[in-house]
Amino acid sequence: MTTIAHKVYYWVETTIENEYKIFQPKDIAYRHGVPAKELFTYWQKEIDCDKAVQTLPRTLFLIIFFALMLLSHEMIGPAQSIERAIRFDIEENANFAFNGVGTFGNKNIQDVNSFADFYSWFRLGFAAIYMPQSTSVSEGSTLTAVPLSTPNKQIYLETNRKLGPIKLSQQKVTKASQCDNYNLFQAIDAGVTADSCAALGKDFFIQPTDFDIGFLDFTEDMNATIWFSPMEDATPLITWLENSTWLTSDTDHWKITMVLYNPDFDILTVTGIHFLLARSGRIWKQITFMSLKMAPYANLWPLCWEILFFGSIFTIFIEEVYEVVSGLLATRVRGRCKCVSFFREYISVWNLIDWVSIILAFTLLGMWILTCEDRKALQVAVEALIATCSSADQNTCQEYQEYVLDLASDAGQLAGQTSLVSSFYPFCILLRLFKTFSLQPRLAVVTRTLWASFADLAHFGIIFLSVFVTFVFMAMGFFGRTVEGYSSFHIAFVTLFRALMGDLDFDAMEEQAGRVIAGIFHLAFMLTMLLILLNMLIAIIMDVYAETKRNVPD
């Protein structure tokens, strides 16, 4: 109920009450033969339609301002371009297992399946592309490779600058208290104590993603941390690591961390090359990135979009506050307060959406201010790092690099959280659009259809979910041993939902369970879930939609 409608309602009610002495009790609710309630309803519809016309353009502009602000903050295109270039170079050009001539490497990072493979890849592959000591010459050239100058050693992929030394760190595994099958373990290898049977911690059934790595706890063994200077040849230090068995059976996670800066885009990128030794014995490899725009206000466009977006949010905030205050004052027209009655009418789904969007927007503003402060501190630290590494001893340089990595990690974590909240915020704007649509009868057909069919959809959802989960367990039983997509419940759930949308790997299913079982499962799943249940879902919605459309006034 809007504030204007409240005032109209109380004016009508007061007018009728003042004429109580003229009309009979049975005629109190009428004025000139028109029921006051119907009169109020008519005025309310007119006000809502007028409000819909006014708020729709503002909501659309709110979407545009937010999108432009988000794009200016995230630098999605340039950051992705830099990260893809680094990933491609590490995956494709850091090779080992060279042929006899030494000109072709047969393996890359994905072929690192043992500690020996890691040392080979590190020495012959990664060190060669990231810490070269001489110039590169083309095949068949008569030119001779010459040592690189110090400025050239700081350059990576032509446009990126290396900041500080490279960090090599590891995490030691925590042992379980006992084996699941103590007797069998002792019978097989009585020389090993039972508490070294299995390792506690996260394991992966399929290739871990950047998101998975980001949520892993990494407890660094400070005594095992090694630093590599890009100015020096890394081969002697890598050889020493291998001879001293730097990687042991207690190591379950080790990583290489390096910091790069791209002056063309003013983006600082922290790259992590992770190696995870799973309990199954497989070494998982994943490359992660964290990119930050160091000077977010290098031009005035980001500030312009912020002013327009947060200005629109502040306007909505003022309107909501005014509506609450004026509504409370309107309830005191006849000398008594009806605050409880007002809040019962004011607290609705749409008003809650307004307040959630306001609170979330101000939260984003606060997080963005903190992110800018972190980037400012990080830039000061990077400048100090460059000055220190060029003049001080190596130990001091490593300490500053550790400090820069800590600041970059904190800034990147907050930036990631801000990006996550920003990614969900368009959903609030979408709900505001639905609120605007609900105020106009023809635009409200979709929202009214969903609301009217909510009960039927809830009951249908119970049936759909029960049948779908049954097929998930069947798929895990048939294909879980060899098909990665069915190795656990949550993975199989997503895999089958993708199959329902048409993304089905039938060849992998056929290879595991045979053509007959895979064909029967596929046929039963598609007939039941796609042709029957999904079509029933469409029928439920369309039936309510047709009824809702018939009730829309001309």
Side-chain angles (χ1 to χ4, degrees):
M1 185 182 296
T2 62
T3 303
I4 299 177
H6 268 98
K7 293 180 178 179
V8 171
Y9 175 78
Y10 286 113
W11 176 80
V12 172
E13 189 177 14
T14 305
T15 303
I16 295 175
E17 188 177 83
N18 291 335
E19 296 185 2
Y20 175 74
K21 301 176 182 178
I22 302 176
F23 291 93
Q24 298 296 325
K26 65 179 181 179
D27 297 325
I28 291 177
Y30 291 82
R31 178 166 179 80
H32 303 297
V34 179
K37 185 176 180 181
E38 293 183 6
L39 183 63
F40 167 73
T41 303
Y42 171 76
W43 283 337
Q44 177 70 59
K45 290 181 179 179
E46 291 298 316
I47 293 171
D48 288 344
C49 289
D50 182 66
K51 188 175 181 180
V53 173
Q54 295 177 2
T55 57
L56 181 58
R58 186 174 64 180
T59 305
L60 294 177
F61 278 116
L62 190 67
I63 297 175
I64 295 174
F65 295 152
F66 177 80
L68 293 174
M69 182 187 71
L70 180 64
L71 292 176
S72 64
H73 284 178
E74 297 296 329
M75 295 290 290
I76 298 175
Q80 185 186 94
S81 177
I82 295 172
E83 293 171 2
R84 283 181 176 271
I86 298 172
R87 182 187 297 275
F88 181 84
D89 190 50
I90 294 174
E91 292 181 343
E92 298 296 329
N93 297 329
N95 302 319
F96 66 104
F98 285 88
N99 57 12
V101 183
T103 58
F104 180 78
N106 294 278
K107 296 183 178 181
N108 58 20
I109 186 174
Q110 298 301 330
D111 297 306
V112 174
N113 297 311
S114 65
F115 293 161
D117 286 343
F118 169 75
Y119 291 121
S120 298
W121 171 84
F122 198 3
R123 182 188 302 109
L124 302 177
F126 179 74
I129 65 169
Y130 193 80
M131 295 176 282
Q133 301 301 308
S134 60
T135 58
S136 301
V137 295
S138 62
E139 295 182 18
S141 175
T142 58
L143 296 176
T144 303
V146 297
L148 286 172
S149 61
T150 299
N152 288 331
K153 290 181 180 180
Q154 296 282 3
I155 299 176
Y156 177 63
L157 294 180
E158 304 300 334
T159 59
N160 300 289
R161 302 297 184 268
K162 307 170 188 174
L163 301 181
I166 302 165
K167 182 180 180 181
L168 177 63
S169 55
Q170 65 169 286
Q171 173 182 266
K172 298 291 186 179
V173 70
T174 303
K175 297 299 181 180
S177 59
Q178 62 180 6
C179 300
D180 292 338
N181 194 335
Y182 176 81
N183 294 331
L184 181 59
F185 173 69
Q186 288 289 60
I188 295 175
D189 196 345
V192 181
T193 57
D195 61 355
S196 63
C197 175
L200 292 175
K202 181 75 173 177
D203 201 355
F204 295 100
F205 301 107
I206 61 175
Q207 173 68 40
T209 63
D210 293 4
F211 190 81
D212 298 327
I213 299 296
F215 281 90
L216 281 181
D217 292 329
F218 185 81
T219 304
E220 181 180 344
D221 183 2
M222 302 302 298
N223 296 325
T225 300
I226 303 296
W227 297 88
F228 290 84
S229 172
M231 303 294 105
E232 301 173 358
D233 184 11
T235 302
L237 186 53
I238 298 174
T239 302
W240 176 83
L241 289 176
E242 185 175 12
N243 294 335
S244 61
T245 61
W246 184 79
L247 292 173
T248 66
S249 59
D250 293 334
T251 306
D252 72 334
H253 185 183
W254 66 98
K255 63 179 180 179
I256 301 171
T257 307
M258 55 189 185
V259 183
L260 296 169
Y261 175 72
N262 187 291
D264 294 343
F265 294 120
D266 185 36
I267 291 179
L268 183 141
T269 302
V270 179
T271 304
I273 309 174
H274 297 260
F275 299 85
L276 300 101
L277 179 59
R279 294 170 63 182
S280 60
R282 180 171 181 175
I283 298 178
W284 295 103
K285 284 75 62 176
Q286 184 58 268
I287 305 174
T288 61
F289 300 96
M290 182 180 60
S291 298
L292 297 172
K293 172 75 173 176
M294 297 304 294
Y297 298 109
N299 58 71
L300 295 180
W301 283 115
L303 183 61
C304 176
W305 304 132
E306 288 176 20
I307 293 174
L308 291 174
F309 172 73
F310 289 110
S312 302
I313 293 296
F314 188 74
T315 302
I316 297 173
F317 171 72
I318 295 298
E319 291 178 354
E320 291 297 327
V321 172
Y322 175 78
E323 183 174 351
V324 172
V325 174
S326 59
L328 291 175
L329 294 177
T331 59
R332 303 180 61 88
V333 171
R334 292 179 294 168
R336 61 179 185 271
C337 180
K338 293 186 177 181
C339 300
V340 177
S341 176
F342 167 76
F343 279 112
R344 285 177 180 174
E345 296 176 349
Y346 177 79
I347 299 177
S348 61
V349 175
W350 300 124
N351 285 328
L352 288 177
I353 291 173
D354 285 339
W355 281 108
V356 168
S357 62
I358 292 171
I359 294 173
L360 199 58
F362 286 143
T363 302
L364 276 175
L365 178 60
M367 296 177 71
W368 175 245
I369 293 174
L370 293 177
T371 300
C372 292
E373 292 295 327
D374 286 348
R375 297 183 187 189
K376 183 178 179 181
L378 179 59
Q379 179 168 338
V380 173
V382 169
E383 293 173 354
L385 170 68
I386 300 302
T388 302
C389 291
S390 59
S391 59
D393 61 327
Q394 193 68 17
N395 292 332
T396 306
C397 177
Q398 293 171 3
E399 292 177 358
Y400 266 88
Q401 180 73 329
E402 187 73 42
Y403 178 61
V404 168
L405 289 176
D406 291 339
L407 286 180
S409 177
D410 294 339
Q413 185 177 7
L414 181 58
Q417 294 171 354
T418 305
S419 177
L420 189 63
V421 176
S422 300
S423 301
F424 281 107
Y425 191 77
F427 184 71
C428 292
I429 303 179
L430 176 63
L431 293 179
R432 283 189 55 83
L433 273 177
F434 281 125
K435 174 189 176 181
T436 304
F437 296 157
S438 67
L439 298 176
Q440 214 283 337
R442 292 190 178 276
L443 296 178
V445 174
V446 175
T447 55
R448 292 177 182 176
T449 298
L450 296 176
W451 182 255
S453 60
F454 179 78
D456 292 335
L457 292 178
H459 291 95
F460 174 81
I462 296 175
I463 299 174
F464 183 89
L465 189 62
S466 301
V467 178
F468 187 80
V469 169
T470 302
F471 276 102
V472 170
F473 286 122
M474 292 173 59
M476 291 176 61
F478 285 137
F479 319 113
R481 288 298 182 91
T482 58
V483 183
E484 291 184 345
Y486 302 100
S487 56
S488 64
F489 177 78
H490 66 280
I491 299 174
F493 192 96
V494 176
T495 302
L496 268 192
F497 186 81
R498 292 175 59 181
L500 187 60
M501 297 296 105
D503 184 11
L504 176 69
D505 188 1
F506 183 79
D507 293 337
M509 299 165 58
E510 184 181 29
E511 182 179 354
Q512 162 62 18
R515 183 173 301 174
V516 176
I517 294 179
I520 293 176
F521 176 84
H522 177 61
L523 183 64
F525 178 75
M526 288 301 177
L527 284 175
T528 306
M529 302 303 302
L530 180 64
L531 298 181
I532 298 177
L533 290 182
L534 280 187
N535 281 288
M536 288 179 63
L537 174 64
I538 296 174
I540 292 173
I541 296 177
M542 293 306 299
D543 183 57
V544 179
Y545 175 81
E547 182 65 25
T548 304
K549 193 174 176 65
R550 280 196 297 266
N551 295 330
V552 175
D554 296 332

